[in-house]
Each structure stands twice: as structure tokens, then as C-alpha cells.
Amino acid sequence: MIRDITLGQYYPADSPIHGLDARIKLLLTFIYIVTLFFVNGLVGYVFVILSLAAVIRVSRVPLRFMLRGLKSIVLIIIFTGLINLFMTPGERVIFQWGFLTLTMEGVLFAFQMCLRLVLLIIGSSLLTLTTTPIQLTDAIETILKPFARFGVPAHEIAMVMTIALRFIPTLLDETDKIMKAQQARGADFDSGSLMERAKSLIPILVPLFISAFRRADELATAMESRCYRGGEGRTKMYVAKMKRKDYQAVLLGVVYIACIFALRYAVSAGIPFFV
Amino acid sequence: MSITINHLTHIYNAGTTFEKKALDDVSLEIQDGEFIGLIGHTGSGKSTLIQHLNGLVAPTSGEILLNGENIHQDKNRLKEVRRRVGLVFQYPEHQLFEMTVYKDVAFGPTNLKFSEDKIRKNTISALEAVGLGEEYYDQSPFDLSGGQKRRTAIAGILAMEPEVLILDEPTAGLDPKGREEILSLIQEMHQKRKMTVILVSHSMEDVAKMAERIVVMHQGKVVMNGTPKEIFSCVEELEKMGLAAPQVSYVVRALREKGFPISPDIFTVEEAKNALLALLPHNS
């Protein structure tokens, strides 16, 4: 149950996607997310879905790992869908009941929004599934570095993120262990009224917080005893270098953007097949 | 209460690249009132095995029988299984959460919906058993020493009146005095309350001294199963698995090599002392 959260969970595999420079992956994911909101028209979405499917296929991460990430936002998707379904003004009314009006435009728009959300989550979980947290934060640090002169604490942000990501699996394991320990004492987390269930969280949360504080304290001591003092003058053990395949990936990204905008133009120009 | 484990296999994360076979066709019979020592290298499957015994983890295949009854037969009775098979986790003090020692120990019996009277009786008797007197009842468990915290946590299990007591490395990280207290507590539970005890330990000394039978696990399988004498006489095999015999048995072996007529079946300090005293001339 607790292992359903895929965010920040790396799926080890030997694939071209795993081997890409994390900075490139981050950039491409960013572009992908932005372009998602430029897509329109059936052909555009088919193109995005096919591209995503191709990348997933190449990444060798089983599809159900991506879908597991969706589980946690199912409610948000449904909510977005419902709001858009009834709140979109339009002319082609399907039916009207009190203040609720269902229009053809609403149906289309709601479907579009939900599809975008799903594609967004799958796309971004692809990034975290194929990139180790360390690579990812390293990439974020390099990308943020130019802003350091404007007072952006690039290194500190990256370090905070590294530590946070690093502790997600640890704390999940810890939660699992505490839950089991309390279950061994007859605790029951799955039944009872809402109030009872909320109360049954206390025996998990208190030990979990204590353990998190203890770990934080130990980590701080360990970092200090190794003379950690922030980012200034720090060198890297692994320096990321762009390779041939990274340039190829960038090229593919450019082609992708071009396609998205070409399709968008085709739709807005009203070329029959694309509308 | 007897425990029967039939062809138990457990696979974590089945069907993914994280797939890991933690238990591989384990069969084991534990009689009522036995004291079992469970040893094995880190990752040998000990913890997974004991979590099966009170139904915290469900088997991938195979079954666990308590007094001949499959524990997963009736989901509603799992709580009862957990009461009867008390499992003390590693570092059990990490699960303390209540405001006072008394309330924390009463957590188990309260969950089991015991009557007010029985909750009070059990809590007090469990705290008494672990040697925490009335002056501790209203203290915060977080203000106690390491050994006291651990005893509080063990009391939390004892208050549910288990018939089987399973302890996962109960002495890890304690000072010698704390270790001694915990071990004699376990000994007492076994001897006076006739509890079946399963002790998971990395200390060959503790296991040699206390267990009647030792089960050795390696890579998810039960590889050895016998009396301490039988197990610890196979030193080479144990060492191959990253384990060892009790330290005193190495002393005994060295003495034998030097020509002292001392029995090779000595695995506790007490036995070694007696054997050596017997060897000494009586007038000394």
C-alpha cells in the first residue's frame, strides 16, 4: 500500500533513457510539460501519446510503474474533469438540469484537461523513474547555478532536495516497520469510523516524527564531522559531460517542439484533417 | 502452543526488478514450550520468517499453522493470532508513542478490547515482570534510559498475554547491564510462564546459553536445525555462512590442541569454567 508512491523512486534498468545526461532529461521533461499546454486537436494528442509511448518503451520501465503514480491523483483528475464538464460555456447543449449545463464543448474540454493531467504525471514520473535522485539534484544545481549571483542558493536548494529525496525510501521503510510493530500490538488501521482511523494514526506519526528528528540530527553531525560547509569551492566527484547521445536527444526534442507547433498551426489554420 | 510452518516461500516485490526471494521453501516445527534460537547472517530471512508467524506478512506460498489451524484462514481472527504470538521488533523502543509508560503498555490490551479491569491487571503485571515499579507509571517513556525504554516496549507485548514470545535481537545496542536484564527477563518468561520463545540473535553466546534448539537460516532457507551442541560442533559450516561458534568454544579448541583433556562439546562460559576447574589439581 505504502509502496504505491512512485515519486522519487528510481527504477534501475539499462536503457538509453537511463543513460542520458540528467540535465538534458530535465530540460526535455520541462519542454514536454510546457508543450502539453500548446497541443490541441485529435492528431496533436495522438502525436504526444505516441511520442510518450515510444520513450516509455525505450526506457524499459514497465508501464504499471507509471500508472501507479497516477493512483494518488485520481481524485484530482476526477475533480478537474467534473468542474470542466459543467463549467465550460458552450453552444452545443446536450442537456440542462437546474444550474447544471452539459455542453459538447464541456465534454471535449474536460476530456482534454484530464488527458493533459495524465500525460503530465506520466511524463514527469518517467523522469524520476529513469534518473537517480542524486543525478536529478545535480542537474538542478547546474541549471540553477547561473542564478546564484542573483542570490539563489543553488547548492543549498540542491542539497536540501538530495537529502529529502534520499530520505523518502528510508522513511517509507520506517513507516512500514512502525505500522507492523503497532499491528503486532493489536492496532487496526483499516476499520472503524473516520475519527477512530484518524486517532489510529497517532501511534504511527509520533514514532515516525521522533525517528525523523533523530535521523536529521545524526545526519547533521555526520556532515559536520566531514567538514561540510556549503557549496563554495566544492568540486564534484562525477562531472557530467554532454555525449553524442545527449546531443541526439536534444535534436529529437527540437523536432518534437517543431511537430507540436506545426500541428497547432495546422489546427488553427483549419486544415480539414487536423481539426 | 505449537507452530507448524509448511513449505513457506515469500517473495518481495514479485514481478519487478526489485524481486527478492526472502524465504525459500521453509518448513519448521516448533513445539509448545520450546526455546528456539534463530540465527543467520543479515538478510538471511530471519525477520521475514518471524513476521509471518503472527500474520503481519502473508506468505507467497505455503502455510503457517498455530495448533494445527492456518492463521490466514479467517481474517477476523488475525488480531487473536497477534495476541497469542507476541512479536517484539528490533529496537522496539522506537515504537513508543504515549504520554506515559503506563498508557503505552496498555495500548496492546486496549486494542484487544479487554475489560477495564483486565487492562489494568495485565499492564501492571507486565510492568512488574520487566522490573518497572509504580514510580515509572506516570513518567514519559522518552525520559527513560535505553534499557528501560526497551523493557517498557517489551512489557507492551507481555501485557497482551502472548503464549509465544518472539524477539528480534532484543539486546542490540544495549550496554552489558541492559543486556543481562533483558536476557534474564526472557529466561524467566520461558521458565516461569512456560512461554514458547523464539529468540533471533547475532550473539552466539546468548543463543548457546539459552536456547534448547537452534535454527540456522542462510539465503532464505533453513540450513541447520538441532541442539546447540549439534549446531556449534559444525564450526566450519557456520563460518562459511558468516556466523561463528561461541567465543569460549574457540578457547576450548585451542586448549585441546595444546593437549588438555577437555570435552569438545563446551559452548558456554559456565561449562568451560566447570570443566577447567575439574582439570585443576584439587589442592590448589
Side-chain angles (χ1 to χ4, degrees):
Chain A
M1 150 177 69
I2 210 156
R3 293 176 188 281
D4 288 343
I5 306 161
T6 46
L7 191 77
Q9 267 199 357
Y10 179 62
Y11 183 91
D14 185 22
S15 82
I17 308 287
H18 285 73
L20 275 186
D21 191 315
R23 293 171 295 180
I24 301 302
K25 269 190 276 189
L26 193 64
L27 191 74
L28 290 178
T29 309
F30 184 68
I31 289 173
Y32 166 80
I33 290 172
V34 172
T35 51
L36 261 187
F37 292 91
F38 284 98
V39 181
N40 53 8
L42 184 64
V43 181
Y45 282 106
V46 171
F47 172 72
V48 172
I49 291 171
L50 287 182
S51 317
L52 186 64
V55 179
I56 290 174
R57 176 112 191 129
V58 173
S59 76
R60 297 207 187 117
V61 180
L63 187 65
R64 59 194 173 82
F65 271 84
M66 324 256 162
L67 298 182
R68 276 211 303 214
L70 280 180
K71 255 200 225 164
S72 49
I73 62 148
V74 159
L75 271 180
I76 300 178
I77 294 177
I78 293 174
F79 188 68
T80 314
L82 285 178
I83 293 278
N84 282 304
L85 206 52
F86 293 108
M87 297 298 163
T88 314
E91 275 121 43
R92 287 177 281 172
V93 177
I94 296 173
F95 79 83
Q96 202 160 10
W97 185 75
F99 67 97
L100 289 175
T101 318
L102 190 65
T103 65
M104 196 60 201
E105 283 83 356
V107 173
L108 284 177
F109 194 67
F111 180 71
Q112 215 180 38
M113 284 316 283
C114 292
L115 190 62
R116 276 180 183 169
L117 271 177
V118 170
L119 290 172
L120 187 135
I121 295 297
I122 294 182
S124 41
S125 60
L126 186 63
L127 173 70
T128 51
L129 281 164
T130 60
T131 319
T132 62
I134 300 292
Q135 289 173 335
L136 201 60
T137 45
D138 246 11
I140 291 171
E141 188 176 349
T142 9
I143 288 173
L144 286 182
K145 204 154 237 171
F147 302 103
R149 72 181 65 177
F150 306 117
V152 177
H155 172 79
E156 282 70 18
I157 290 175
M159 183 55 88
V160 167
M161 285 183 61
T162 310
I163 293 172
L165 287 171
R166 151 77 183 74
F167 275 99
I168 290 175
T170 312
L171 289 180
L172 282 182
D173 276 353
E174 189 91 16
T175 313
D176 194 49
K177 220 173 74 186
I178 293 169
M179 280 176 80
K180 278 183 182 164
Q182 306 298 24
Q183 274 174 315
R185 297 210 275 165
D188 192 350
F189 306 119
D190 313 312
S191 61
S193 66
L194 195 65
M195 198 58 201
E196 279 173 311
R197 282 195 204 200
K199 257 176 111 177
S200 77
L201 285 179
I202 296 173
I204 304 174
L205 290 180
V206 173
L208 192 63
F209 267 84
I210 293 172
S211 131
F213 280 122
R214 190 179 54 236
R215 281 176 197 284
D217 201 40
E218 279 167 9
L219 183 69
T221 314
M223 285 169 81
E224 256 181 359
S225 64
R226 282 185 253 172
C227 305
Y228 177 79
R229 55 182 176 80
E232 211 161 312
R234 225 168 123 81
T235 53
K236 285 210 159 69
M237 188 164 168
Y238 301 104
V239 180
K241 277 210 184 77
M242 293 278 283
K243 294 196 205 76
R244 193 185 163 81
K245 58 183 173 191
D246 297 315
Y247 289 110
Q248 286 168 346
V250 173
L251 204 65
L252 272 177
V254 173
V255 172
Y256 174 81
I257 301 173
C259 287
I260 293 287
F261 281 94
L263 287 169
R264 187 180 166 79
Y265 173 75
V267 171
S268 52
I271 298 170
F273 174 71
F274 293 98
V275 182
Chain B
M1 185 155 65
S2 73
I3 303 174
T4 310
I5 303 165
N6 280 334
H7 303 288
L8 179 62
T9 297
H10 189 88
I11 302 170
Y12 281 116
N13 299 309
T16 70
T17 36
F18 302 111
E19 184 170 299
K20 191 176 175 295
K21 206 176 214 176
L23 291 177
D24 189 359
D25 196 22
V26 171
S27 291
L28 206 61
E29 187 82 37
I30 295 162
Q31 303 302 332
D32 189 25
E34 259 194 305
F35 195 127
I36 305 273
L38 184 58
I39 61 176
H41 199 255
T42 311
S44 60
K46 296 166 295 180
S47 295
T48 309
L49 177 64
I50 58 174
Q51 286 177 18
H52 274 87
L53 297 184
N54 71 346
L56 280 177
V57 184
T60 306
S61 69
E63 56 180 8
I64 301 119
L65 310 176
L66 282 190
N67 282 345
E69 212 176 310
N70 189 334
I71 59 167
H72 288 285
Q73 206 164 39
D74 184 358
K75 238 188 127 205
N76 298 324
R77 293 193 56 192
L78 263 180
K79 233 184 204 184
E80 176 66 8
V81 168
R82 287 176 191 153
R83 181 192 74 73
R84 299 176 73 178
V85 182
L87 174 55
V88 179
F89 271 77
Q90 210 173 357
Y91 297 105
E93 62 273 24
H94 291 178
Q95 79 204 17
L96 298 174
F97 69 97
E98 270 291 5
M99 307 283 280
T100 70
V101 169
Y102 181 90
K103 274 193 193 163
D104 207 288
V105 174
F107 179 65
T110 312
N111 283 331
L112 296 169
K113 311 240 172 0
F114 285 172
S115 68
E116 288 283 321
D117 244 19
K118 196 165 162 60
I119 292 175
R120 184 161 4 95
K121 212 186 93 226
N122 282 15
T123 306
I124 291 174
S125 93
L127 279 165
E128 206 173 296
V130 300
L132 291 173
E134 239 171 281
E135 67 272 25
Y136 291 103
Y137 289 4
D138 291 327
Q139 277 197 34
S140 161
F142 302 105
D143 290 340
L144 302 178
S145 75
Q148 288 169 333
K149 271 186 199 166
R150 190 158 303 177
R151 281 187 281 151
T152 307
I154 294 177
I157 299 290
L158 294 179
M160 305 196 304
E161 296 187 308
E163 293 156 52
V164 179
L165 186 61
I166 307 176
L167 303 110
D168 193 352
E169 289 190 52
T171 57
L174 289 184
D175 55 23
K177 184 165 168 281
R179 294 170 59 101
E180 211 37 66
E181 283 166 357
I182 300 284
L183 291 177
S184 62
L185 166 68
I186 297 168
Q187 194 77 277
E188 195 181 296
M189 288 300 129
H190 177 240
Q191 283 167 356
K192 289 205 185 129
R193 297 208 191 174
K194 305 285 174 236
M195 278 187 195
T196 310
V197 176
I198 302 175
L199 175 68
V200 177
S201 180
H202 277 141
S203 160
M204 300 303 140
E205 279 70 29
D206 296 351
V207 175
K209 199 162 61 185
M210 298 171 73
E212 294 157 355
R213 185 149 68 98
I214 295 179
V215 174
V216 185
M217 291 195 67
H218 186 58
Q219 293 176 349
K221 287 190 166 77
V222 170
V223 285
M224 294 160 97
N225 182 356
T227 63
K229 281 197 183 5
E230 286 165 7
I231 301 293
F232 288 132
S233 47
C234 315
V235 183
E236 285 79 18
E237 282 175 56
L238 286 174
E239 284 178 352
K240 248 181 246 161
M241 292 182 278
L243 300 168
Q247 280 171 354
V248 70
S249 73
Y250 291 93
V251 176
V252 170
R253 196 154 63 156
L255 285 172
R256 274 173 66 79
E257 277 164 15
K258 295 271 184 211
F260 285 88
I262 185 169
S263 158
D265 294 339
I266 287 175
F267 303 106
T268 68
V269 177
E270 191 66 26
E271 287 171 348
K273 186 187 86 183
N274 292 337
L276 286 175
L277 281 176
L279 277 181
L280 289 176
H282 284 290
N283 54 1
S284 63

